[in-house]
Amino acid sequence: MGKAINSKTVHCLIHLDDELRKEYNLSLGHYIGIDICREEGSKYDCTPDDAIVFAFTGMGGDHFAFDTKNGSIEDLDTAPILFIQPMMFDNPVKLVAHHIRDLFSIFLTLKEFYILERFDWYQKESDMLEDIEKYYKKSIILRQHEISFISERLQERLNIAPVPNVFKYITEMKGESNL
C-alpha cells in the first residue's frame, strides 16, 4: 500500500472524482485528461527523488508532482508543480505552476494540460496562441460542454479563477526558477 498524499487540494479533487463517478459514471480524469492519485504515485528515473507524484496523464508515463525542494516544503498545497515526461529525454522535468491550485487555474484558462509541455517552444505569446489554434482548438471546441461543466466545479471546489495571462505567468515563474 502506497503512502497517502498530504494535500487538502488533492483530497478535494479525489472527493470530486468520487462524486463524478457516483453521479455520472465518469472520472475527473475523463473531464480534465489527468487522473489524480489516491496515494503517492510511482516515480520514473527522471522524477526528482524529493518529488511527490500526484497525477498521471496516461500517456508515456507523463505525470505531475509536487516539488518538495529536498523535503523543505511540508505543506504540499504550497509546493511548486512539475510536469514530468519520461519520453522527453532532453528535458523531461518542467516547472509548470507555483502550486497545485495555480495548476488548475491554468487549466481553466488553457482547457488542456498538454499545452504546458510546449512552453519551451514559445518565444512570445503569439507563438503560444498560434500553436493552440493549430493543435488544440478543435479538440477543445469538441469538449466545450464537458470543459465548462468541470471548470465550474473546479472553480467552486478549489476557490480558483482562470489565470488571466498564462504565457506571462509561466514566463515569469521560469525566470524565478533554477530548474
Side-chain angles (χ1 to χ4, degrees):
M1 183 100 170
K3 198 167 110 180
I5 300 171
N6 189 17
S7 159
K8 289 178 184 173
T9 304
V10 168
H11 292 292
C12 183
L13 292 166
I14 290 170
H15 185 69
L16 176 57
D17 181 60
D18 290 342
E19 288 177 17
L20 293 169
R21 288 173 189 270
K22 185 177 178 182
E23 196 169 335
Y24 301 102
N25 203 29
L26 295 169
S27 69
L28 178 60
H30 167 80
Y31 293 98
I32 64 173
I34 63 172
D35 291 309
I36 305 299
C37 299
R38 293 181 178 267
E39 53 193 36
E40 191 174 336
S42 302
K43 295 180 181 180
Y44 285 71
D45 288 343
C46 60
T47 307
D49 291 339
D50 65 319
I52 296 175
V53 177
F54 69 87
F56 283 91
T57 68
M59 301 284 290
D62 295 355
H63 54 285
F64 289 90
F66 296 105
D67 180 1
T68 67
K69 303 287 184 196
N70 295 316
S72 67
I73 299 176
E74 291 183 25
D75 180 0
L76 295 181
D77 285 335
T78 66
I81 303 301
L82 305 173
F83 185 25
I84 302 157
Q85 298 179 281
M87 301 309 289
M88 299 288 253
F89 303 112
D90 57 335
N91 185 21
V93 180
K94 295 173 180 64
L95 177 65
V96 294
H98 286 293
H99 51 76
I100 190 169
R101 290 177 68 246
D102 273 6
L103 177 68
F104 284 89
S105 293
I106 289 168
F107 174 82
L108 295 177
T109 303
L110 296 179
K111 301 169 180 29
E112 168 62 61
F113 282 115
Y114 261 100
I115 296 168
L116 295 171
E117 80 174 338
R118 302 164 80 93
F119 266 83
D120 292 342
W121 306 347
Y122 306 145
Q123 298 299 310
K124 52 192 182 296
E125 187 174 13
S126 61
D127 295 339
M128 178 190 82
L129 298 173
E130 289 171 21
D131 191 56
I132 291 170
E133 178 77 27
K134 186 173 181 179
Y135 294 105
Y136 297 99
K137 186 176 181 181
K138 188 176 180 182
S139 169
I140 290 169
I141 289 170
L142 290 172
R143 297 177 12 249
Q144 188 171 2
H145 177 72
E146 291 178 337
I147 292 169
S148 294
F149 169 84
I150 204 62
S151 293
E152 287 175 21
R153 276 140 193 87
L154 290 170
Q155 286 180 77
E156 62 188 42
R157 299 295 174 87
L158 302 180
N159 191 26
I160 59 173
V163 171
N165 185 326
V166 174
F167 183 80
K168 181 179 178 191
Y169 172 97
I170 290 185
T171 302
E172 288 177 356
M173 181 186 58
K174 284 180 149 191
E176 299 163 6
S177 169
N178 60 0
L179 196 74

